[in-house]
Amino acid sequence: MTTEAAPTVFIIDDDDQVRAAIQGMLKSVGLRSQTFATAPEFLRSQRPDGPSCLVLDVRLPGINGLDFQRQLADAGLRIPIIFITGHGDIPMSVKAMKSGAVEFLTKPFRDQDLLDAIHQALDRDRVMRHQNIELTELRKRYESLTTREREVMALVVSGMLNKQIAGELGTSEITVKIHRGHVMHKMKAESLAELVRMATKLDLSPG
């Protein structure tokens, strides 16, 4: 197992003092951070790989934080976001949370509240990354199946018996058993229930 890269907290705020204060607070608890004054600056940056989250000011020059949240989602950049603002209101915070924000903090906020939200966001990102790695590995296994093995797998997870699959595919029951064995081995599935779970994760339509 490779050791996980150190987490990074990205901070986007056009106020120098706010950026410095948050960065200083994070440094004091051993968290690495990178700061940006604008959203485009963040997008242009070389960001380290590893768990991360974004502390994002709602009011930014050029683009507001909520629009930037949508822009990131549209670009497929899935990063947990904590909004901070000096001018928050309920509809704004509801919109941010509905779009997947971890927290919406109104300035001035307690350092501990921000820190709690950051730890929650980093945990969320770790889980997301782990699921992505798992899914990539699962896809690789599925791609190693032959066309016939994929057909057998689809019918197996739809609940059909070997005899029924043989009838469906116009082959013998013994041949189906062999293909089924190959599927279980290549997919590293210990049981039918596990194979069904894998098919669900791969979003395979039954039949």
Side-chain angles (χ1 to χ4, degrees), residues 106-176:
T106 307
K107 300 172 187 173
F109 44 77
R110 289 171 57 242
D111 282 358
Q112 192 56 51
D113 288 342
L114 179 58
L115 210 48
D116 289 347
I118 284 169
H119 282 303
Q120 189 187 336
L122 291 173
D123 285 345
R124 187 189 286 190
D125 198 47
R126 283 188 189 97
V127 169
M128 202 158 61
R129 282 167 176 272
H130 179 72
Q131 286 171 345
N132 287 343
I133 290 166
E134 205 178 54
L135 191 57
T136 301
E137 172 59 28
L138 215 47
R139 283 199 184 113
K140 275 187 195 162
R141 290 183 210 166
Y142 183 69
E143 281 161 16
S144 75
L145 302 181
T146 64
T147 305
R148 181 44 62 99
E149 284 164 359
R150 288 182 196 185
E151 287 171 348
V152 169
M153 177 174 167
L155 296 171
V156 165
V157 299
S158 75
M160 287 173 75
L161 302 172
N162 288 352
K163 189 190 288 184
Q164 295 169 315
I165 295 170
E168 178 79 18
L169 298 178
T171 186
S172 71
E173 206 175 325
I174 290 173
T175 304
V176 170

Side-chain angles (χ1 to χ4, degrees), residues 2-196:
T2 54
T3 52
E4 186 183 77
T8 308
V9 180
F10 302 112
I11 304 150
I12 307 179
D13 195 305
D14 60 340
D15 186 321
D16 297 353
Q17 290 181 324
V18 170
R19 290 201 308 274
I22 295 173
Q23 192 163 36
M25 185 265 290
L26 293 174
K27 192 176 180 184
S28 73
V29 295
L31 277 171
R32 180 172 68 175
S33 63
Q34 289 183 6
T35 66
F36 309 92
T38 66
E41 202 182 306
F42 167 76
L43 290 174
R44 285 194 302 268
S45 69
Q46 276 289 101
R47 296 179 295 280
D49 195 28
S52 61
C53 69
L54 178 59
V55 177
L56 180 62
D57 190 20
V58 172
R59 300 221 168 162
L60 291 169
I63 183 171
N64 75 48
L66 293 171
D67 287 341
F68 187 55
Q69 179 187 31
R70 194 171 60 247
Q71 194 177 311
L72 288 175
D74 291 345
L77 270 169
R78 295 172 64 200
I79 179 167
I81 296 173
I82 297 143
F83 279 106
I84 54 174
T85 181
H87 318 276
D89 57 40
I90 301 288
M92 193 187 282
S93 63
V94 168
K95 187 179 175 188
M97 300 301 274
K98 274 188 175 173
S99 298
V102 174
E103 188 57 275
F104 193 98
L105 299 172
T106 307
K107 300 172 187 173
F109 44 77
R110 289 171 57 242
D111 282 358
Q112 192 56 51
D113 288 342
L114 179 58
L115 210 48
D116 289 347
I118 284 169
H119 282 303
Q120 189 187 336
L122 291 173
D123 285 345
R124 187 189 286 190
D125 198 47
R126 283 188 189 97
V127 169
M128 202 158 61
R129 282 167 176 272
H130 179 72
Q131 286 171 345
N132 287 343
I133 290 166
E134 205 178 54
L135 191 57
T136 301
E137 172 59 28
L138 215 47
R139 283 199 184 113
K140 275 187 195 162
R141 290 183 210 166
Y142 183 69
E143 281 161 16
S144 75
L145 302 181
T146 64
T147 305
R148 181 44 62 99
E149 284 164 359
R150 288 182 196 185
E151 287 171 348
V152 169
M153 177 174 167
L155 296 171
V156 165
V157 299
S158 75
M160 287 173 75
L161 302 172
N162 288 352
K163 189 190 288 184
Q164 295 169 315
I165 295 170
E168 178 79 18
L169 298 178
T171 186
S172 71
E173 206 175 325
I174 290 173
T175 304
V176 170
K177 273 185 184 172
I178 292 167
H179 285 312
R180 188 172 178 153
H182 289 165
V183 168
M184 298 297 279
H185 175 70
K186 288 183 181 179
M187 293 302 295
K188 297 184 181 174
E190 299 289 329
S191 64
L192 174 58
E194 194 179 355
L195 192 68
V196 171

